[in-house]
């Protein structure tokens, strides 16, 4: 029987995440690189939501030499690994992990006392665990902590627009798995099972169009989709 984990942790042992996610998800590094490129290299303050084991944080710390990152995640297991990797890379003076639920933060930002002067907010593979109402609320709270012209970039799976496209996306992913000689049985055996924790549940996908609308309603301009691979998209705006 698989172990009970928080939504988004994916693997029963957090130590399996870095290798396992690269086998489950096509072009994981390219996706994180797309976010990283969209964040100005001159940024001094970056907020990350659902940092997991710190893979996106590491890329950003490298790209933005003056940036300090505040990284929220509700999983102590994922944060522990992130802390170690950031320390080993010599970035611990510019990175602070905070054990917190970003849904709770979206509803009650004043409880967390984060200054509203972030140049950028980023997230990958995490926000799709929130219900749509909370995604919209989160986008509004993100907007409220950014400086003028600050940006927000999110990478997430999105809801296929039709059953036909769902089939197209599924086949593309299967072909990628075969091309890369990945045995999904070996990967899936390491996965945990999760129900609900805090504000997150298993996949609560929304279409890209619906989320673009949420971003515009929250006050983002220049909304864009700089990267997309079938149903996985990097989207956001300034
Ligand atoms: C699939 S992992 C992605 C981690 C990392 N962003 C990456 O791309 O490698 C999703 C992460 O989001 C976190 N997460 C999910 N829902 C959350 C919530 N409501 N509040 C804080 N963290 C959350 C999980 O603990 C997990 O670390």
């Amino acid at each position: 029987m698989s172990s009970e984990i928080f939504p988004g942790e994916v693997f029963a042992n957090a130590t399996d995440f870095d290798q396992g996610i690269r086998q489950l998800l096509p072009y994981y590094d390219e996706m994180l690189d797309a976010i990283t490129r969209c964040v100005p290299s001159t940024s001094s303050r970056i907020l990350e939501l659902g940092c997991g084991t710190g893979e996106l944080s590491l890329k950003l710390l490298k790209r933005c030499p003056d940036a300090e990152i505040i990284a929220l995640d509700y999983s102590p297991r994922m944060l522990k690994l992130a802390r170690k990797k950031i320390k080993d890379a010599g970035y611990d003076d510019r990175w602070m992990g905070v054990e917190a639920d970003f849904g709770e933060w979206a509803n009650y930002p004043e409880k967390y006392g984060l200054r509203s002067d972030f140049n950028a907010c980023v997230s990958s593979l995490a926000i799709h665990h929130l219900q749509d109402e909370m995604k919209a609320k989160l986008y509004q709270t993100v907007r409220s902590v950014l400086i003028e012209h600050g940006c927000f970039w999110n990478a997430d799976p999105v809801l296929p627009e039709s059953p036909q496209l769902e089939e197209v996306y599924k086949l593309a992913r299967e072909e990628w798995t075969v091309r890369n000689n990945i045995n999904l049985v070996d990967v899936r055996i390491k996965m945990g099972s999760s129900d609900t924790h805090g504000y997150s549940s298993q996949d609560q996908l929304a279409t890209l169009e619906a989320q673009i609308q949420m971003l515009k309603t929250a006050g983002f301009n220049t909304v864009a989709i700089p990267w997309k691979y079938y149903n996985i998209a990097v989207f956001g705006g300034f």
Side-chain angles (χ1 to χ4, degrees):
M1 213 177 80
S2 52
S3 344
E4 198 55 38
I5 50 169
F6 293 176
E9 287 185 300
V10 187
F11 294 93
N13 293 313
T15 46
D16 286 325
F17 184 88
D18 290 356
Q19 189 191 10
I21 197 73
R22 289 177 168 87
Q23 295 174 317
L24 270 186
L25 198 82
Y27 302 110
Y28 169 80
D29 281 290
E30 285 82 346
M31 178 189 79
L32 298 188
D33 287 342
I35 297 190
T36 308
R37 282 177 215 271
C38 291
V39 172
S41 59
T42 52
S43 298
S44 54
R45 297 239 310 149
I46 301 173
L47 176 64
E48 183 176 356
L49 305 173
C51 65
T53 63
E55 290 291 289
L56 179 57
S57 280
L58 282 168
K59 288 177 189 279
L60 286 164
L61 287 161
K62 196 167 172 195
R63 171 172 164 81
C64 309
D66 299 324
E68 67 163 29
I69 298 184
I70 297 185
L72 267 54
D73 201 292
Y74 63 12
S75 161
R77 296 165 288 277
M78 300 295 260
L79 277 174
K80 188 175 165 199
L81 285 182
R83 270 195 195 102
K84 179 171 181 344
K85 281 157 62 180
I86 303 276
K87 188 165 190 294
D88 290 350
Y91 292 131
D92 45 333
D93 56 336
R94 296 199 283 127
W95 188 90
M96 188 170 77
V98 179
E99 192 179 319
D101 188 316
F102 51 63
E104 178 80 1
W105 171 72
N107 271 339
Y108 309 103
E110 65 286 351
K111 279 212 279 194
Y112 294 83
L114 298 180
R115 294 199 324 257
S116 301
D117 61 353
F118 289 99
N119 302 91
C121 175
V122 295
S123 185
S124 60
L125 308 176
I127 295 173
H128 71 277
H129 292 292
L130 295 181
Q131 290 178 359
D132 286 2
E133 197 187 322
M134 279 308 303
K135 290 187 190 85
K137 178 80 203 171
L138 182 73
Y139 294 160
Q140 284 166 16
T141 303
V142 166
R143 161 77 179 72
S144 74
V145 299
L146 293 176
I147 57 162
E148 184 85 27
H149 308 302
C151 58
F152 170 54
W153 301 106
N154 179 30
D156 250 338
V158 295
L159 191 67
E161 297 78 0
S162 73
Q164 289 87 342
L165 285 171
E166 182 171 10
E167 197 54 26
V168 171
Y169 299 164
K170 197 168 142 251
L171 276 179
R173 201 154 160 172
E174 283 169 7
E175 282 172 23
W176 176 86
T177 305
V178 171
R179 260 201 325 277
N180 287 278
N181 297 317
I182 294 164
N183 182 347
L184 276 186
V185 176
D186 291 346
V187 183
R188 290 209 173 110
I189 216 158
K190 296 181 191 157
M191 291 170 76
S193 70
S194 61
D195 186 8
T196 295
H197 182 80
Y199 285 79
S200 283
S201 329
Q202 262 323 320
D203 295 357
Q204 306 281 319
L205 304 188
T207 61
L208 189 49
E209 195 182 347
Q211 298 196 74
I212 293 296
Q213 194 50 52
M214 287 178 202
L215 287 170
K216 288 182 177 167
T217 305
F220 285 92
N221 299 315
T222 328
V223 170
I225 305 153
W227 188 92
K228 191 169 184 295
Y229 181 78
Y230 297 98
N231 69 324
I232 304 161
V234 173
F235 57 95
F238 293 88

